[in-house]
Amino acid sequence: MREKRVRHNYLLSIIRTMLLSGIIPLLILGFLSYASSSQALKKRVSETNMLLLEQTRMRFEQTLDIIYSHYVLLGNDPSLTDQLNRSLSYSDVTIIPEIQKKLHEIQNLQNLVRGSRLVNLQNDWVIYHDYFQDHVEEELRDYVNRRMTGRYNVFWTFEEDRDNRISLFIKLPYNSSSSTGALIVDLDQKEIGDYFLDDGDKKMLLADEEGSIVHYYESSLIGTGLESVLGPDYGERLTGDRGAFTFRDGGGTSQYVIYEKSRYNGWTYFILYDIRSLNRDIINIRRLTFLMIGIIILFLSVISVFWSSKRLYGPVGSIYARVKEKMLLEKEPGVVDEISYIGRGVDSLFEERQRLKIEIARQTILIEELFMRKLIRGELNRERIGERTESLGKFRDFAGYYLVCFRVSDSGDEEMTAVLLLSAIRAVLEKGGQYLTPILKNGIVVALIDSTEGDVVNFRENLFVELLRLQADIGMDQNMGVSMGISGYHRDPLETEIAYREGIEALMGGGEAGNSLSIQFYEDLELDKTINIVYPGGQEEELLRWIGNGNGEKAVQAMEGILDHIFGIRVGYREHMLNVSRLLVKLTNVLQDAGIPLKELFPLTENPMDQVMALTDREEIKAWFRSRLIEPIIPLLRKQRSSRSKNLIQDVIRMIEENYDQDLSLEECAYRLDYHPSYIWRIMKQEMGMGFSEYLLDFRLSQARKLLTDTDLSIGEIAEKLCYNNTQNFIRYFKKKEGVTPGAYRKENQIQGPPGSGRNRG
């Protein structure tokens, strides 16, 4: 009895000790949590809403930037800017619809765009996306002249006196010192509201640089100053590019405001929410905190009682049971007791640790490869780069870096030798220095070499010596000749994409110099920086003409001439590829203009721009354009145009024959058939030799002849049936075409009917 009582007292002592050691700290923590919950919640809410505000800003500005890019590209289009020197009128039925088509195509891509127009002050005309005006109204002229005085060629503007409209203003000609016109893009205020979250106690507000409200849930306040919402002294609270403050609105309600100023256009984004809702959340959190503390205390008490009620096992027995349960080791000779079994388990743990170490090293190489590929593609922002370098334990205190491109010279099996080169370079680089795992990209090994020293000249000299040694080592060990292209010296990791292009350019430049085993620095390339790179627009028009005529041989020759012109100018690789990408966009637009989806040439999984940018040789680029674009496009266009034109003309003729006695116009017909009026007119002119109006008038004339000879309708009734405004217009047109008046034609050609039928009436 005494032994049981002792054991029982010992158990109670353990229980009391565990309960006291667990409950007291938790109670203290609960009171501290209760006291600090308000500030913690406010901070968390502020951080969450700042993140929401930043996401809203980035999403909205990304859309603005897409609109900006599309219309700036259109502003640079020579076919558009050439029209600024012309006086256009309603008779220019080819030029005006073509410009309207370009404006309309971009507008269809973005719901945010409400409308766009091309204004020519010099020649006094305006082309809207849906109509043409042969003069510039005084209000519009004043607005354009006022905006022309700004120092920027392209900028966003908000006008309170123009229906609170947000507009993109582009001076034309683009980048010209003397602007004669402008491209103006207006945004839809209703669509803008979809980008901003307004619910319950939380409201979003957007203001421009001058403090005018651009967006707010109360539309009546749009266009007014910020003081109408934030009070007259709001300027004193905006102390930086981002922050938070509280104020009382006109109703005496305390509001918490978070703001961030955009670096994109200087506009400021706000989130306002009622502090009373925040206090309600704080009370709920306090209640939840005490509830959780109670559950935790109860749970820990149960666990304490459960574990304290079990018998205490010896240390060896406990470890033996754990090893036996977790590791499931096979029985081996010599394992006769718990100690031997535990020893075998420890050996197994070390073996597993070594295996994991090797696997982690392999995965680290894969992660570094992926990181390197994303770096040279420019897919990482500064924050992501910092996170990756911190996790990889590299480049924490770097001063700058070079990016080196290696290529095997005069090899047979390029793919195999490139893989061998990659392995050899990795083996050499592992001996010293900071570097990212080299990668293989398009047969070229790419390595990023980092330096922690600030002396660029010394770093370059040391790097050159190391590369010479590496070139010699690889030559002796692998029997391979290696050429190297080194980028310029960079300090910002965001410039890795630029450094990669420079390394490729240096590699190509070294090869052009005739040295098959060259080590070429980008900084030493002799590029003619004074050459004004002119895109061969005339040759491009010739290429498009040969494609339109279906002459594949001439089209290939024109394409090769354009690429020879582009690469014939001794400038940087980036400048070359800029014009190559422009040619690619132009050719893909030919398909889209013809109504042929791009997926006819490229599956959804392929990106033609990425494929072209991955090529580094002029002949490879020519072969790609020939096989992937020129040769497939011509039969597609021929088939599409033939089928499409015939079907369209049949639909137009059927509509005229069924509706000739109605007020039918080219615009109405185009609307019903979902085509542009100028396109229908052009197809009819090409295929039938006459436009829509001519065919409609001719068909009505044929119906007039039938009505004159086959019916006893009067001349006025026939004119009304054929939709003429008055009888005299009908008589004049009939006489012009037939040489006689309708009455005379009836007398000469009317079929004689039986007496009393009325068919012999004049």
Side-chain angles (χ1 to χ4, degrees):
M1 293 295 294
R2 184 177 302 174
E3 184 178 353
K4 292 182 179 180
R5 187 177 297 113
V6 170
R7 290 180 179 177
H8 185 66
N9 291 337
Y10 181 67
L11 178 61
L12 292 177
S13 177
I14 292 176
I15 294 174
R16 286 195 299 269
T17 303
M18 294 181 65
L19 288 175
L20 291 175
S21 61
I23 293 175
I24 293 176
L26 287 173
L27 289 175
I28 295 174
L29 180 62
F31 282 111
L32 293 176
S33 300
Y34 179 87
S36 61
S37 60
S38 298
Q39 295 300 323
L41 181 60
K42 286 184 178 179
K43 182 179 179 182
R44 180 61 59 85
V45 170
S46 179
E47 292 173 352
T48 302
N49 282 282
M50 181 62 76
L51 180 60
L52 173 63
L53 188 66
E54 184 176 355
Q55 291 174 344
T56 301
R57 176 187 60 77
M58 292 174 63
R59 177 168 168 259
F60 184 57
E61 290 179 358
Q62 183 182 23
T63 303
L64 294 183
D65 195 48
I66 292 173
I67 296 172
Y68 177 99
S69 300
H70 280 304
Y71 282 99
V72 167
L73 183 62
L74 178 60
N76 277 309
D77 191 339
S79 64
L80 183 69
T81 55
D82 288 347
Q83 307 308 322
L84 296 175
N85 298 322
R86 298 188 55 178
S87 296
L88 300 180
S89 64
Y90 292 102
S91 62
D92 294 307
V93 296
T94 302
I95 298 173
I96 295 173
E98 186 66 25
I99 295 176
Q100 289 175 332
K101 180 181 179 182
K102 293 180 179 181
L103 296 174
H104 204 271
E105 284 177 349
I106 302 177
Q107 183 173 343
N108 287 340
L109 295 176
Q110 291 293 333
N111 294 332
L112 195 57
V113 177
R114 175 183 177 183
S116 56
R117 54 202 181 279
L118 178 64
V119 183
N120 190 328
L121 299 179
Q122 181 179 354
N123 294 306
D124 195 26
W125 51 260
V126 184
I127 299 179
Y128 292 83
H129 69 279
D130 52 0
Y131 68 94
F132 171 76
Q133 193 168 315
D134 61 357
H135 67 281
V136 182
E137 295 180 352
E138 195 63 30
E139 181 181 355
L140 179 57
R141 181 180 294 274
D142 291 342
Y143 167 72
V144 174
N145 284 328
R146 189 169 65 254
R147 288 299 174 185
M148 284 289 191
T149 59
R151 60 174 178 170
Y152 298 108
N153 288 327
V154 185
F155 53 88
W156 289 98
T157 177
F158 174 71
E159 294 287 331
E160 298 90 338
D161 54 354
R162 299 180 66 245
D163 301 327
N164 296 325
R165 190 176 302 172
I166 300 176
S167 303
L168 176 64
F169 194 94
I170 305 175
K171 298 180 184 178
L172 297 178
Y174 191 74
N175 285 335
S176 173
S177 58
S178 57
S179 301
T180 60
L183 179 59
I184 305 173
V185 184
D186 298 326
L187 303 187
D188 193 331
Q189 186 67 243
K190 293 182 179 179
E191 295 291 339
I192 291 175
D194 294 339
Y195 287 81
F196 296 91
L197 176 65
D198 295 315
D199 61 340
D201 300 314
K202 186 183 298 181
K203 310 296 180 184
M204 283 193 171
L205 183 148
L206 175 61
D208 65 5
E209 291 179 287
E210 298 176 357
S212 297
I213 296 177
V214 176
H215 167 77
Y216 194 50
Y217 80 102
E218 292 187 16
S219 57
S220 60
L221 296 179
I222 296 178
T224 63
L226 277 174
E227 62 273 5
S228 61
V229 177
L230 303 181
D233 56 346
Y234 74 91
E236 299 176 0
R237 301 188 180 99
L238 303 179
T239 56
D241 290 342
R242 61 190 306 177
F245 61 87
T246 59
F247 78 101
R248 289 187 178 273
D249 58 17
T253 302
S254 295
Q255 299 283 343
Y256 191 70
V257 181
I258 297 175
Y259 68 90
E260 181 180 22
K261 187 173 183 181
S262 170
R263 295 182 180 179
Y264 177 75
N265 54 14
W267 294 1
T268 305
Y269 296 73
F270 297 86
I271 289 184
L272 298 83
Y273 54 91
D274 193 343
I275 291 181
R276 291 177 299 182
S277 64
L278 178 62
N279 292 333
R280 288 195 299 268
D281 293 338
I282 292 174
I283 294 173
N284 292 333
I285 291 295
R286 290 172 177 173
R287 293 174 179 172
L288 182 61
T289 301
F290 279 107
L291 179 61
M292 291 301 297
I293 290 174
I295 294 174
I296 291 172
I297 292 173
L298 179 60
F299 177 75
L300 291 178
S301 300
V302 172
I303 295 298
S304 300
V305 172
F306 174 76
W307 284 103
S308 62
S309 64
K310 297 183 65 175
R311 294 183 179 180
L312 298 177
Y313 290 93
V316 175
S318 178
I319 296 174
Y320 169 73
R322 183 64 59 86
V323 171
K324 186 176 180 180
E325 176 187 359
K326 298 295 183 182
M327 305 193 67
L328 300 177
L329 298 174
E330 295 181 0
K331 188 173 182 181
E332 297 180 1
V335 180
V336 295
D337 55 22
E338 291 86 343
I339 300 299
S340 301
Y341 197 86
I342 292 171
R344 180 65 188 92
V346 172
D347 292 339
S348 177
L349 285 176
F350 277 108
E351 292 173 2
E352 182 68 13
R353 179 185 178 188
Q354 189 65 23
R355 188 190 67 80
L356 289 176
K357 185 177 180 181
I358 295 173
E359 180 65 20
I360 290 173
R362 189 179 71 84
Q363 293 294 332
T364 301
I365 292 175
L366 296 178
I367 292 172
E368 288 190 13
E369 285 185 356
L370 179 61
F371 178 45
M372 183 69 172
R373 293 183 187 278
K374 289 189 175 183
L375 271 178
I376 63 177
R377 289 199 299 259
E379 297 178 357
L380 299 175
N381 56 30
R382 193 177 304 279
E383 182 180 358
R384 294 292 294 168
I385 292 174
E387 292 175 356
R388 293 291 178 85
T389 54
E390 182 69 23
S391 63
L392 294 173
K394 295 185 177 181
F395 308 111
R396 295 178 179 175
D397 301 315
F398 72 94
Y401 62 91
Y402 282 103
L403 193 139
V404 187
C405 296
F406 303 84
R407 181 172 59 187
V408 178
S409 302
D410 303 324
S411 65
D413 189 343
E414 294 184 1
E415 182 176 357
M416 179 61 68
T417 53
V419 173
L420 292 175
L421 175 63
L422 176 63
S423 299
I425 291 174
R426 283 180 176 174
V428 173
L429 291 179
E430 285 177 357
K431 298 177 182 179
Q434 285 204 85
Y435 69 96
L436 276 178
T437 297
I439 63 170
L440 184 62
K441 182 175 175 63
N442 301 324
I444 295 173
V445 178
V446 184
L448 190 149
I449 311 297
D450 171 47
S451 171
T452 57
E453 59 184 48
D455 190 345
V456 180
V457 176
N458 187 42
F459 178 34
R460 171 174 167 149
E461 292 177 354
N462 293 336
L463 176 63
F464 183 73
V465 172
E466 291 298 325
L467 291 178
L468 281 175
R469 184 180 295 112
L470 184 148
Q471 190 180 59
D473 292 344
I474 294 176
M476 291 185 293
D477 296 341
Q478 304 293 335
N479 194 24
M480 293 187 296
V482 181
S483 297
M484 306 178 192
I486 302 99
S487 71
Y489 183 77
H490 293 271
R491 300 179 186 275
D492 191 342
L494 290 176
E495 298 175 359
T496 310
E497 182 182 11
I498 300 173
Y500 170 69
R501 295 297 182 186
E502 293 175 351
I504 293 294
E505 191 170 333
L507 189 64
M508 296 173 65
E512 292 176 1
N515 186 358
S516 61
L517 298 178
S518 66
I519 298 179
Q520 178 67 58
F521 281 85
Y522 174 79
E523 298 153 347
D524 298 336
L525 287 177
E526 297 180 358
L527 301 178
D528 189 350
K529 302 299 183 179
T530 63
I531 294 179
N532 183 20
I533 306 173
V534 179
Y535 181 77
Q539 291 176 273
E540 181 188 82
E541 293 179 1
E542 181 182 0
L543 169 61
L544 298 180
R545 184 169 64 254
W546 289 125
I547 292 176
N549 294 337
N551 193 327
E553 182 178 355
K554 292 290 186 181
V556 170
Q557 293 177 0
M559 175 272 294
E560 292 179 345
I562 293 174
L563 293 177
D564 287 337
H565 174 88
I566 292 173
F567 286 97
I569 303 174
R570 189 160 178 78
V571 293
Y573 177 79
R574 288 170 293 172
E575 288 78 4
H576 288 159
M577 296 311 292
L578 178 64
N579 280 333
V580 170
S581 64
R582 178 175 173 179
L583 176 62
L584 173 61
V585 171
K586 192 67 177 180
L587 291 177
T588 54
N589 284 342
V590 171
L591 279 181
Q592 296 175 352
D593 291 343
I596 302 175
L598 193 58
K599 65 181 180 181
E600 293 288 337
L601 287 183
F602 300 97
L604 296 177
T605 56
E606 294 185 11
N607 188 320
M609 188 66 72
D610 290 344
Q611 294 180 8
V612 171
M613 289 303 174
L615 303 176
T616 58
D617 182 76
R618 182 192 309 186
E619 295 305 320
E620 290 179 351
I621 295 175
K622 287 183 180 180
W624 189 91
F625 270 91
R626 181 176 59 254
S627 62
R628 297 304 305 272
L629 282 178
I630 304 297
E631 294 176 352
I633 280 178
I634 292 177
L636 284 175
L637 289 176
R638 188 182 297 117
K639 178 180 178 181
Q640 178 75 0
R641 288 171 179 170
S642 176
S643 173
R644 193 174 183 180
S645 299
K646 290 180 181 179
N647 293 337
L648 177 59
I649 290 177
Q650 291 176 0
D651 291 340
V652 172
I653 291 176
R654 182 171 58 255
M655 184 173 292
I656 290 175
E657 292 177 351
E658 294 174 356
N659 302 276
Y660 73 91
D661 56 351
Q662 300 178 18
D663 189 13
L664 186 64
S665 65
L666 174 59
E667 288 73 16
E668 177 65 20
C669 179
Y671 175 77
R672 294 186 187 182
L673 298 177
D674 197 21
Y675 283 91
H676 197 280
S678 62
Y679 178 74
I680 294 179
W681 184 90
R682 185 169 64 254
I683 293 298
M684 293 187 69
K685 198 72 174 178
Q686 290 175 354
E687 300 293 331
M688 302 178 64
M690 65 175 65
F692 177 89
S693 299
E694 297 174 74
Y695 184 88
L696 176 61
L697 291 173
D698 283 355
F699 184 81
R700 284 175 173 171
L701 184 63
S702 68
Q703 296 302 309
R705 292 195 297 266
K706 290 182 180 180
L707 293 173
L708 287 170
T709 58
D710 296 347
T711 70
D712 57 357
L713 295 175
S714 66
I715 304 300
E717 290 173 338
I718 293 175
E720 182 179 358
K721 182 175 181 63
L722 297 179
C723 299
Y724 281 88
N725 294 331
N726 56 68
T727 305
Q728 292 303 318
N729 289 340
F730 169 65
I731 294 173
R732 279 196 296 269
Y733 181 75
F734 190 92
K735 184 176 182 181
K736 177 182 177 182
K737 290 293 184 178
E738 299 294 329
V740 295
T741 63
Y745 181 89
R746 169 174 276 174
K747 290 179 181 180
E748 295 175 1
N749 298 279
Q750 188 173 43
I751 299 175
Q752 296 295 325
S757 65
R759 290 225 170 206
N760 57 354
R761 188 176 56 169

